[in-house]
Each structure stands twice: as C-alpha cells, then as structure tokens.
Amino acid sequence: MIKSLAIATVWSTDQERDKKFFVETLGFTERTDMRMGDMRWVTVSPPGQPDVQLTLMRPDGPGLDPESREAVLKLVNKGALGAGVFSTDDCHGTYAELKAQGVEFVQEPQERPYGIEALFRDPSGNWYSLTQQHEFDGLDMSKPWSGCIDDDTDAGTGRA
C-alpha cells in the first residue's frame, strides 16, 4: 500500500545553480548532495516538510535514452514543464518577497476558484504555482478559471 509521496523529480540544467535557488532564495532545506558514480543526487525540501523532497535531476544523466534526453532538455529550456504547486498562507506577501529576491514570475497573484495563485519559474525554466487556498470547502465558481495560462504562450511561461 502506498502511504505517501517521498521524492519528485525536477529537471535541472545546472544542479548547483538550482540548489542555490531552492535553498537560498526559496528557503528550502538541502537534504542530499552526493555522487552516485557519474551522477550527482541532489534533493531539497520545503522547510518543515522533510518527508517530501525534490530531486534536482539533470536530463543527461542515466535513465533516459538519447532521444528522450533531448526531448526533456528541449521542454525544460522552453519553459514548458510545470513542476508542482507550493502552498502559502499569503500569496501576495510571498509573491512580493520572492519578486524582490529576483524570482521570475510569469503571473502575478490572481483570484481563482480554489484560491489566490501566482506562477513563477526556477532558473532551469520549470514553472510552479504559488497558491493560497481558500479556507472553505469547495470551489468558488464566481472566480475565473481562464487567464491561468495565456493561450498564445507555452504553459504560462510568457514564452511564445
């Protein structure tokens, strides 16, 4: 029986730069940084949540055939991959704090049926939702779904 999610992959084109982003800019905790043969295994987790880790995985490591590596790298560089949703109690405040630290946002905080959401990108190009969920059960259908991702750009990244 599956009891929880422990590790999720985030594709990284520069593990050192991305580790610094997660740890120094987002305030995550470094959990692992070690060599496994030719591969570097780097994991980080949100503060206070050590049971969920993101592994910052290079697409040119083992496990992907050359064609798949190229496809993943192309998608990462294009900014087309969403890597997750981070929750916050204050989307507007966290947005302002992270923006002041140089985090690239592709969407300012906006009202959604599930709460307030902003979208940002890591240095490799993966995008994330920063979401403050409403404190009620269910969705507020008076709020728009549209506008989450601009139809003329790739995955809300602002890249045409």
Side-chain angles (χ1 to χ4, degrees), residues 39-128:
M39 185 181 94
R40 182 176 176 196
W41 182 257
V42 179
T43 65
V44 296
S45 63
Q49 196 177 17
D51 56 329
V52 177
Q53 298 178 42
L54 301 178
T55 181
L56 307 178
M57 185 67 65
R58 291 185 49 89
D60 61 355
L64 293 177
D65 61 78
E67 183 181 344
S68 297
R69 287 180 193 140
E70 183 62 33
V72 168
L73 189 56
K74 184 176 181 179
L75 290 170
V76 170
N77 287 331
K78 187 177 182 179
L81 298 179
V85 177
F86 295 119
S87 63
T88 180
D89 292 330
D90 179 5
C91 189
H92 289 280
T94 304
Y95 165 82
E97 175 186 322
L98 294 178
K99 189 160 178 75
Q101 293 181 57
V103 174
E104 179 184 359
F105 278 84
V106 296
Q107 176 192 285
E108 295 180 359
Q110 296 184 13
E111 289 284 336
R112 300 284 177 239
Y114 43 84
I116 303 169
E117 176 188 56
L119 298 176
F120 69 94
R121 197 177 349 200
D122 71 19
S124 283
N126 301 295
W127 60 272
Y128 304 83

Side-chain angles (χ1 to χ4, degrees), residues 133-149:
Q133 292 186 350
H134 287 304
E135 295 184 22
F136 64 89
D137 292 329
L139 298 174
D140 181 353
M141 297 309 290
S142 70
K143 306 295 184 205
W145 285 101
S146 63
C148 295
I149 296 175

